[in-house]
Amino acid sequence: MAAFSVRMVHVLVLWLAVCLSGTWAVDKGNFKTCDQSSFCKRQRALKPGESPYRVLLETMELTNTRLTLQLINDNNKVRLLLELYRLQGNITRVKINELKPLKPRYEVPDVLVREPPTEPLSVLSQDENGVVLSLGAESQRVIVSARPFRLDIMEGHNVLMSLNSRGLLAFEHLRMRKDTQAEPEAEKKDEADPANQAETAKEEEEKVEEGMWEETFKSHSDSKPNGPSAVSLDFSLPGVEHVYGIPEHAEPLKLKTTESGDPYRLYNLDVFQYELYNPMALYGAVPVMLAHNTKRTTGIFWLNAAETWVDISSNTAGKTVFGKMLDYVQGSSETPQTDVRWISESGIIDVFLMLGPTPKDVFSQYASLTGTQSFPPLSSLGYHQCRWNYNDQEDVRSVDAGFDEHDIPYDFIWLDIEHTDGKRYFTWDPHKFATPKDMLQGLMDKKRKMVAIVDPHIKIDNNYKIHNEIRSRGFYVKNKDGGDYEGWCWPGSAGYPDFTRADMRAWWASMFAYDQYEGSMENLYTWNDMNEPSVFNGPEVTMHKDAVHGSWEHRDVHNLYGLYVQMATADGLIQRSGGVERPFVLTRAFFAGSQRYGAVWTGDNAAEWDHLKISIPMCLSLGLVGISFCGADVGGFFKSPSPELLVRWYQTGAYQPFFRAHAHLDTPRREPWLFGPENLALIRDVVRQRYTFLPYWYQLFYNAYRTGEPVMRPLWVEYPQDPATFAVDDEFLIGRDLLVHPVTDEGSRGVTAYLPGKDEFWYDIHTFHKHNGAQNLYIPVTMSSIPVFQRGGSIIPRKLRVRRSSSCMEHDPYTLFVALNPQRTAEGELYIDDGHTFNYEKKEFIHRRFSFANNVLSSVNIAPDAKFTTKSWVERIIVLGASKPSKITLRTAGE
């Protein structure tokens, strides 16, 4: 839910009037541009050229685990410490910090799953110009050039990546403010230290620019007690024209160059009905970029949780196809290159260079650092019905009954903020939801579940247990003066728990216990919204940067807040079951590592065709950076969809990982049966399609949990040498074996799908018609069409007996769809466990591989040490691309 909506306390009536009198659209004036963010403006003013930083080679130290070198800025004589690590799995880590900072600078905790294991570096050569180090495999090496400082990663004769090649390394050192008294600690600095001497000598020369020590945006002031502290570094990617990632932005899959506008911004914000095709920040931030060409995939993981801007430039940007052809004809030798510059407000430079070489290697490398997608309960892969708000228990019962009456399966019904007692989370409205356990039991009797919202802003009310506990334990975020930070949100005046504290997170988790969260049961799960955090009367609708989390300012930790909220909530759902049951938690705000805790959705979209279109690249971008469990509000949160748009959105959402319909309080009701019998039949059909594919979705999520590979993936991931796939974002793959091209244009009578893969077949899943790969296929469509193709050479398990929820289908039989390739072979997997506990960690599952070759379908156990018993069986096998056999022989266990 966006900050500016119509159910608001009286103090926000003015905002409400503005919202209702204008159009539903983002007010960009509420959010900063780079020019309005002083550190971004300062850093962006630096132009490429010779870097002032040089390496002091005499300071080099090499141990078994790392290389350290000092850098000096010849302009101000401030020294930095460079640390270089060779990590297991073809990753290089580069850290740069002040050698002797005035006070510690923030280093991001809790995102890496462990301290990454290192491998030895060795010096290949060294002279007065620099040092060359071996990275081990395949003649990979790092060249550290001394004057100016530059770092190149080479493989053979090829440069894979260069750092500071454009001289844009900038590190604003912490310093004393000239018009204030020196702190006692600062006065004790060792005057004999050359770094300190130089700093003292040069301090007076450094220009004080506007916004360094205090900054104002609209009516909000940021006191900046530590002064300027930004860090920046440039990366050059020779041979690269396509870069991806750095979500969340409502942008195409392939990132665009930013020279003519603002950089991409990473700063978690509550953006009211966001604008499309704009690099402005949205709800989440994952500072990971992937670069790809026909020869290699690499990745950059910039581990910094402060406000960050990313500039992208390219030497081929803006060239037309004709211009590129002219270069070719004239023999232009210019190699394509993309240059990327990261700028963060505070912290240190801590960057992981993931060197591939394949897309799946990069996924594995990133997963080794931040973990994989949590393995969700099977039921959460079904359909979710939500709106702001189902009014009361009778409304919930009526909607639930409507799905049965109209024969539409669903697994979860959701409750938004109005279910609480006055926006006090962990409570129920005593009149509308007087007996929540009765309601939950009614759902449980049908093997269905509920999600209720628990937001991280806490109503300041002395009669509210949660508030009193947090205040008495000192768990609230503090303001710059040391008092509890207060802001406005849904309850009115609210406090914000300090989720950066492990003891606060542990307490929060304990509140989900059944004896603490009154009215909760084991089929109640959780939705964390507004966790950017959203502060209606704060700067940019979020928390003041000079708010305090222990020893750190909010500016240092901002992008971590949502991750910590989801982490604590997921821990609470696990603990309430004694560690037995898997949680389901949906979050709006996220960071690197959020994949370990649940699902994400694309926030407050609108019922517009372009918002339907953009849901595809938004989820593809998230999948590339580890967050597979992604979806968009089906139908659009704001506004009211036409029946055609609603049907098309269901058809798209049914083939995206997280499948939930949601709507704003002020929109007309839009349960599927409210749009006439024809549209009801279309929606019913596609929801039921989703349920038939649940075994395949579940197997893919198990694979994502094991490997880090995305569930929903761009075509280039599976066809990395086919340039025709590199910018495709109106179709996608589910796993490797299903290709989906949703219909996302109003009044469409046909779509053109690119079917990749020379010498491959693709089978229409509805008609079983076979099509050759490596072609653009025009597909006539009607309102019932959703073009989906199964790859020849694959075997996909499905369950064709659709019941009212996934749990009702647990023991039903499987049908195997065997799609033959030109060699008349096929392969696939089937994964089965109990669907909801962590017992798979104890090897309680079935994992089998099916193979078809020489007209024989065989099955082998690929987890022979695992044990699990299922009542399901394979009742049918459908072979696509084969002629009718004259006879069939079945052999089981040697018979």
Side-chain angles (χ1 to χ4, degrees):
M1 252 179 297
F4 305 100
S5 197
V6 296
R7 288 296 294 270
M8 203 42 243
V9 289
H10 64 279
V11 295
L12 296 176
V13 166
L14 177 61
W15 287 2
L16 201 158
V18 170
C19 170
L20 291 181
S21 62
T23 56
W24 298 94
V26 64
D27 180 357
K28 289 194 280 191
N30 284 322
F31 304 101
K32 289 183 180 180
T33 62
C34 179
D35 274 352
Q36 293 170 313
S37 186
S38 67
F39 80 92
C40 184
K41 183 179 181 180
R42 263 193 325 274
Q43 297 298 323
R44 217 180 185 204
L46 300 176
K47 298 304 178 189
E50 182 148 318
S51 175
Y53 290 94
R54 62 184 167 90
V55 179
L56 300 173
L57 288 169
E58 67 275 13
T59 65
M60 186 176 85
E61 294 182 16
L62 181 63
T63 69
N64 249 350
T65 59
R66 68 173 183 169
L67 170 92
T68 62
L69 282 163
Q70 290 181 30
L71 311 180
I72 189 165
N73 182 333
D74 280 332
N75 291 342
N76 61 17
K77 304 307 180 191
V78 173
R79 295 193 186 195
L80 305 179
L81 180 67
L82 168 75
E83 299 174 68
L84 187 67
Y85 300 83
R86 175 187 167 203
L87 304 183
Q88 286 181 14
N90 208 17
I91 307 169
T92 299
R93 184 182 194 179
V94 178
K95 291 179 76 171
I96 303 176
N97 197 353
E98 293 184 57
L99 180 64
K100 297 208 168 190
L102 196 60
K103 57 167 69 172
R105 297 180 68 117
Y106 190 69
E107 299 188 37
V108 175
D110 301 317
V111 168
L112 301 178
V113 289
R114 57 178 175 167
E115 191 58 33
T118 59
E119 294 184 335
L121 284 161
S122 58
V123 175
L124 294 176
S125 64
Q126 181 180 357
D127 59 22
E128 69 276 8
N129 296 316
V131 59
V132 182
L133 301 144
S134 170
L135 286 177
E138 293 190 36
S139 67
Q140 280 188 2
R141 57 203 186 283
V142 177
I143 301 172
V144 182
S145 302
R147 186 189 292 264
F149 163 65
R150 171 176 169 151
L151 191 150
D152 293 279
I153 298 181
M154 307 274 299
E155 185 172 279
H157 298 292
N158 298 316
V159 178
L160 302 182
M161 195 180 299
S162 302
L163 283 63
N164 202 37
S165 60
R166 294 189 299 147
L168 292 171
L169 167 63
F171 209 103
E172 294 183 334
H173 62 283
L174 300 180
R175 64 202 79 175
M176 297 304 302
R177 189 168 184 173
K178 291 176 191 156
D179 57 355
T180 59
Q181 290 292 316
E183 295 177 10
E185 292 83 2
E187 291 173 355
K188 292 175 188 172
K189 285 196 334 187
D190 180 6
E191 295 298 331
D193 187 295
N196 293 335
Q197 278 185 332
E199 185 176 325
T200 305
K202 286 284 182 178
E203 192 90 26
E204 293 304 312
E205 297 176 21
E206 294 193 335
K207 181 178 159 191
V208 175
E209 296 181 33
E210 185 181 358
M212 277 184 164
W213 293 93
E214 187 171 15
E215 188 170 356
T216 300
F217 178 66
K218 301 187 84 168
S219 62
H220 300 284
S221 179
D222 175 6
S223 63
K224 294 198 173 178
N226 294 318
S229 58
V231 298
S232 170
L233 184 58
D234 64 278
F235 301 77
S236 294
L237 302 162
V240 167
E241 293 183 81
H242 293 79
V243 289
Y244 312 92
I246 57 169
E248 183 177 37
H249 301 97
E251 283 274 58
L253 177 65
K254 179 194 172 186
L255 298 172
K256 66 189 180 190
T257 57
T258 58
E259 294 110 322
S260 60
D262 261 8
Y264 286 98
R265 191 183 188 201
L266 295 172
Y267 190 62
N268 294 358
L269 292 172
D270 179 358
V271 182
F272 172 79
Q273 198 190 320
Y274 49 84
E275 186 175 286
L276 306 187
Y277 310 109
N278 188 313
M280 66 190 295
L282 290 180
Y283 311 97
V286 184
V288 175
M289 180 181 288
L290 276 67
H292 179 72
N293 61 24
T294 55
K295 297 176 181 174
R296 194 176 201 101
T297 310
T298 56
I300 300 170
F301 172 27
W302 177 268
L303 182 53
N304 189 300
E307 179 185 345
T308 296
W309 298 78
V310 185
D311 250 329
I312 301 170
S313 58
S314 165
N315 63 2
T316 57
K319 282 193 180 177
T320 62
V321 172
F322 175 76
K324 292 181 182 180
M325 285 175 64
L326 198 63
D327 284 349
Y328 178 76
V329 171
Q330 295 176 345
S332 170
S333 60
E334 184 178 31
T335 302
Q337 178 168 304
T338 296
D339 297 308
V340 181
R341 186 183 184 199
W342 301 74
I343 305 168
S344 291
E345 185 176 15
S346 65
I348 68 166
I349 292 172
D350 188 2
V351 63
F352 297 83
L353 311 174
M354 300 173 288
L355 302 178
T358 70
K360 292 182 182 179
D361 289 329
V362 174
F363 301 144
S364 174
Q365 287 154 3
Y366 181 62
S368 75
L369 298 171
T370 66
T372 60
Q373 176 67 56
S374 60
F375 190 27
L378 173 59
S379 57
S380 65
L381 303 180
Y383 173 63
H384 300 251
Q385 181 67 31
C386 184
R387 78 171 278 112
W388 177 27
N389 206 90
Y390 287 118
N391 299 324
D392 50 31
Q393 287 181 214
E394 175 53 31
D395 197 7
V396 170
R397 189 205 62 75
S398 173
V399 172
D400 174 71
F403 277 87
D404 292 337
E405 179 185 344
H406 297 97
D407 198 22
I408 304 172
Y410 89 96
D411 270 83
F412 284 82
I413 191 166
W414 291 53
L415 295 180
D416 211 318
I417 55 176
E418 310 303 330
H419 85 277
T420 62
D421 181 6
K423 315 299 187 297
R424 298 168 182 86
Y425 304 107
F426 299 99
T427 70
W428 304 84
D429 185 297
H431 307 293
K432 296 178 179 177
F433 294 92
T435 55
K437 284 192 174 181
D438 292 346
M439 173 179 63
L440 289 164
Q441 187 61 53
L443 293 170
M444 189 179 289
D445 290 345
K446 294 183 176 183
K447 298 192 174 183
R448 288 174 175 153
K449 301 169 177 66
M450 174 172 275
V451 171
I453 201 165
V454 178
D455 286 349
H457 49 260
I458 303 301
K459 184 178 178 70
I460 295 175
D461 173 2
N462 292 337
N463 296 315
Y464 178 26
K465 177 186 80 171
I466 299 291
H467 163 66
N468 290 337
E469 285 262 350
I470 295 172
R471 183 178 58 183
S472 67
R473 294 169 186 260
F475 282 165
Y476 279 126
V477 175
K478 306 303 178 192
N479 60 37
K480 64 184 172 64
D481 301 316
D484 287 348
Y485 178 89
E486 291 186 20
W488 286 93
C489 210
W490 295 125
S493 189
Y496 290 77
D498 187 354
F499 284 90
T500 68
R501 295 178 55 164
D503 52 356
M504 163 60 214
R505 296 195 301 272
W507 176 83
W508 179 268
S510 74
M511 289 299 98
F512 288 90
Y514 299 123
D515 61 351
Q516 294 290 333
Y517 189 171
E518 292 181 19
S520 67
M521 288 173 56
E522 56 267 34
N523 64 332
L524 180 68
Y525 296 82
T526 308
W527 172 17
N528 294 148
D529 196 1
M530 317 296 285
N531 55 338
E532 292 76 23
S534 180
V535 183
F536 290 171
N537 61 339
E540 302 192 89
V541 201
T542 194
M543 189 172 284
H544 292 73
K545 285 181 175 178
D546 55 7
V548 177
H549 302 256
S551 304
W552 305 105
E553 286 189 283
H554 185 71
R555 88 181 68 250
D556 300 312
V557 306
H558 175 85
N559 285 345
L560 287 173
Y561 193 85
L563 173 139
Y564 277 134
V565 174
Q566 190 185 23
M567 176 193 294
T569 301
D571 285 348
L573 296 191
I574 293 168
Q575 290 171 23
R576 73 179 185 179
S577 70
V580 172
E581 296 290 330
R582 290 177 236 167
F584 172 75
V585 183
L586 180 72
T587 183
R588 189 170 72 178
F590 52 84
F591 190 66
S594 288
Q595 67 270 15
R596 305 197 299 265
Y597 305 109
V600 162
W601 94 107
T602 61
D604 297 339
N605 60 3
E608 297 172 0
W609 288 93
D610 278 350
H611 276 263
L612 168 59
K613 287 185 177 74
I614 208 74
S615 71
I616 298 171
M618 288 181 78
C619 280
L620 287 173
S621 296
L622 281 161
L624 289 175
V625 299
I627 300 176
S628 270
F629 207 174
C630 168
D633 286 345
V634 169
F637 178 68
F638 290 112
K639 304 185 181 180
S640 298
S642 66
E644 181 190 4
L645 175 57
L646 184 65
V647 168
R648 291 303 191 199
W649 213 316
Y650 268 98
Q651 291 172 342
T652 304
Y655 287 93
Q656 291 176 344
F658 176 55
F659 183 26
R660 180 185 77 152
H662 186 37
H664 187 279
L665 184 78
D666 287 337
T667 61
R669 295 289 284 255
R670 59 169 93 139
E671 284 75 42
W673 49 88
L674 299 178
F675 295 83
E678 289 184 7
N679 293 310
L680 166 63
L682 293 169
I683 294 172
R684 176 196 297 123
D685 179 61
V686 77
V687 175
R688 292 171 69 86
Q689 278 182 47
R690 167 65 167 226
Y691 276 77
T692 70
F693 278 107
L694 284 181
Y696 183 62
W697 282 106
Y698 195 54
Q699 168 201 316
L700 290 174
F701 269 93
Y702 180 69
N703 182 63
Y705 158 73
R706 291 285 304 276
T707 68
E709 293 174 14
V711 170
M712 176 183 173
R713 56 188 74 158
L715 272 61
W716 65 260
V717 167
E718 294 297 334
Y719 299 89
Q721 295 177 314
D722 182 357
T725 67
F726 291 179
V728 171
D729 62 6
D730 58 354
E731 64 183 74
F732 54 91
L733 292 166
I734 303 170
R736 143 181 111 144
D737 297 333
L738 277 186
L739 185 151
V740 186
H741 191 305
V743 181
T744 59
D745 285 309
E746 186 174 12
S748 179
R749 296 188 176 184
V751 299
T752 299
Y754 180 65
L755 303 181
K758 191 183 174 194
D759 303 321
E760 288 208 21
F761 293 154
W762 292 92
Y763 296 85
D764 185 311
I765 68 160
H766 309 293
T767 65
F768 302 150
H769 287 161
K770 180 173 69 181
H771 305 278
N772 291 320
Q775 67 157 320
N776 287 297
L777 179 69
Y778 179 78
I779 307 154
V781 298
T782 65
M783 278 306 297
S784 65
S785 305
I786 174 164
V788 181
F789 300 88
Q790 182 174 343
R791 186 181 62 84
S794 67
I795 300 175
I796 291 181
R798 295 173 66 179
K799 285 191 173 185
L800 301 185
R801 301 183 189 179
V802 176
R803 304 184 192 275
R804 64 183 170 204
S805 74
S806 63
S807 298
C808 293
M809 298 164 62
E810 179 182 3
H811 304 304
D812 284 348
Y814 293 90
T815 295
L816 301 181
F817 286 78
V818 180
L820 301 184
N821 60 20
Q823 294 76 40
R824 298 182 59 79
T825 64
E827 190 172 86
E829 294 180 11
L830 175 62
Y831 175 85
I832 308 172
D833 63 16
D834 63 25
H836 59 94
T837 74
F838 285 103
N839 289 349
Y840 63 88
E841 293 178 346
K842 305 176 192 172
K843 297 284 187 180
E844 294 184 19
F845 60 81
I846 294 167
H847 196 185
R848 298 194 72 86
R849 178 178 294 116
F850 297 104
S851 300
F852 186 95
N854 301 317
N855 287 333
V856 175
L857 176 67
S858 58
S859 164
V860 62
N861 185 0
I862 52 178
D865 55 342
K867 296 279 184 269
F868 185 72
T869 302
T870 178
K871 296 179 182 176
S872 298
W873 70 101
V874 175
E875 75 165 349
R876 186 182 309 164
I877 297 163
I878 298 174
V879 182
L880 311 182
S883 52
K884 189 172 183 181
S886 57
K887 74 171 182 178
I888 296 172
T889 306
L890 178 65
R891 291 194 179 124
T892 59
E895 295 183 26

